[in-house]
Amino acid sequence: MALRLYYHPLSSYCWKALIALYETGVPFEGEIVDLSDADARERFVRMTPLGKFPVLVDEETGKGFPESSIIIEYISMKHAGAAKLIPADRDLALRVRLSDRFYDLYIHDKMQRIVGDRLRPAGAKDPTGVAKWTDELEVALSLVDRDMAEGGWATGLTFTMADCAAAPALYYANQVSPFGDRHAGAARYLDRLMARPSFARVLEEAAPYFANFPRE
């Protein structure tokens, strides 16, 4: 197997890479890494010192790629005949990359910060930070409402890398604080994403791990 993905089924950024791989149909071998296992963590950190998921290794070339967006860029570059997650048109490609950054930085990141605070011990929580991140998340979701008012995908009629980014960001944001009653456009877009076969498969594979997600 030429491509090996090191990941965890509950990791939101791993979902982003998995959606892209399932969309393209590019063959790969998945290797789940349990960071709670000391030996597994040590091996993983030797490969990628920051210890962050996901990592894609091209075993034919010996090259490794961290960061979900870079993984998708690599898949798109190496398998141009597969699903066009990044358009060939340069202007459209910039739109996709901008939308990808929007979902990662303004929804995904804020959601993860709130979840991270829930995992802190009682004396180390940051209510001021949570209030700030929650407000910023609400603004970002309002922009999704605007952009999704007429349906479609993140940057138009074609499913792209931006939608790979949007799916885990919106799914987990909705778990953190259900937004259907406040952000109808974002909620309808999330429904479309969850019905996409690639994302439905990711959710099915993650289901056994959902009990570990801190909902409060």
Side-chain angles (χ1 to χ4, degrees):
M1 185 65 64
L3 296 179
R4 181 176 297 274
L5 184 74
Y6 294 87
Y7 76 108
H8 190 279
L10 198 60
S11 164
S12 51
Y13 278 110
C14 291
W15 286 10
K16 179 178 167 181
L18 286 167
I19 292 167
L21 286 162
Y22 293 153
E23 280 287 326
T24 61
V26 171
F28 74 101
E29 187 74 26
E31 183 165 329
I32 296 176
V33 180
D34 180 4
L35 293 181
S36 66
D37 181 286
D39 291 337
R41 175 184 286 274
E42 182 181 354
R43 289 193 299 271
F44 187 62
V45 170
R46 281 203 302 268
M47 179 177 63
T48 177
L50 292 176
K52 298 293 186 180
F53 295 126
V55 174
L56 183 74
V57 174
D58 187 333
E59 295 179 336
E60 286 186 354
T61 65
K63 295 179 179 178
F65 301 90
E67 299 296 335
S68 55
S69 294
I70 299 302
I71 289 171
I72 297 173
E73 293 270 5
Y74 185 71
I75 294 168
S76 180
M77 180 180 68
K78 292 286 286 186
H79 300 273
K84 302 295 184 181
L85 295 178
I86 302 175
D89 181 271
R90 296 174 73 177
D91 289 338
L92 291 177
L94 283 177
R95 286 182 57 199
V96 167
R97 292 183 174 102
L98 176 60
S99 186
D100 172 76
R101 294 294 78 221
F102 167 78
Y103 280 102
D104 276 3
L105 296 175
Y106 299 103
I107 295 182
H108 208 147
D109 177 73
K110 309 309 176 188
M111 172 275 295
Q112 285 198 326
R113 289 176 183 271
I114 295 169
V115 171
D117 190 78
R118 292 179 179 179
L119 295 172
R120 293 175 177 175
K125 293 187 180 296
D126 181 7
T128 301
V130 169
K132 175 177 180 292
W133 303 323
T134 300
D135 289 345
E136 292 171 345
L137 184 57
E138 287 295 309
V139 172
L141 289 170
S142 296
L143 295 177
V144 178
D145 287 337
R146 180 198 66 187
D147 293 342
M148 293 292 109
E150 298 182 5
W153 300 111
T155 57
L157 298 177
T158 303
F159 192 96
T160 68
M161 175 171 70
D163 300 289
C164 298
L170 290 174
Y171 181 89
Y172 274 123
N174 193 51
Q175 297 298 308
V176 167
S177 178
F179 54 70
D181 60 341
R182 306 188 308 281
H183 299 288
R188 289 193 297 269
Y189 177 37
L190 176 58
D191 287 342
R192 292 194 295 278
L193 289 165
M194 291 175 65
R196 188 82 176 184
S198 58
F199 190 33
R201 180 177 175 181
V202 168
L203 291 174
E204 181 179 1
E205 292 171 349
Y209 301 86
F210 281 150
N212 297 321
F213 181 78
R215 299 182 184 276
E216 297 181 354

